[in-house]
């Protein structure tokens, strides 16, 4: 008994699948700046895997800046320093 298939094609490696959206649902945070950064993650859905790093780093940078801004001291208004 043999495992040969008559008329079969030579062994050709399959082509890699193209980029496809993961279909993840992003729940809004209520903060428009944060939501904009999270929506940017959708850009990675249409890129090959090697393009994801740029998107992830951009989103990470934006989220880090938003967190850093929370630690910043508020600037006093023009009339708050009066005694």
């Amino acid at each position: 008994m043999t495992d040969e298939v008559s008329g079969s094609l030579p062994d050709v490696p399959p082509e890699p699948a193209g980029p496809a959206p993961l279909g993840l649902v992003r729940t809004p945070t209520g903060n428009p700046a944060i939501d904009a950064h999270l929506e940017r993650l959708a850009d990675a859905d249409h890129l090959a895997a090697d393009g994801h790093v740029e998107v992830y780093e951009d989103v990470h940078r934006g989220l880090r800046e938003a967190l850093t801004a929370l630690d910043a001291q508020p600037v006093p208004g023009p009339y708050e320093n009066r005694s």
Side-chain angles (χ1 to χ4, degrees):
M1 178 185 235
T2 63
D3 290 335
E4 289 183 32
V5 176
S6 62
S8 66
L9 297 174
D11 290 335
V12 176
E15 291 291 320
L22 295 175
L24 298 177
V25 177
R26 290 171 196 82
T27 305
T29 65
N31 183 319
I34 300 301
D35 291 339
H37 290 300
L38 295 178
E39 281 299 315
R40 171 94 166 91
L41 290 172
D43 293 345
D45 286 346
H46 308 289
L47 298 172
D50 60 349
H52 291 189
V53 174
E54 181 181 342
V55 173
Y56 294 156
E57 287 178 348
D58 182 47
V59 171
H60 184 254
R61 184 174 29 260
L63 293 173
R64 180 184 283 167
E65 288 171 1
L67 285 172
T68 300
L70 293 175
D71 291 336
Q73 296 293 323
V75 176
Y79 300 108
E80 292 180 17
N81 290 333
R82 298 176 89 185
S83 34

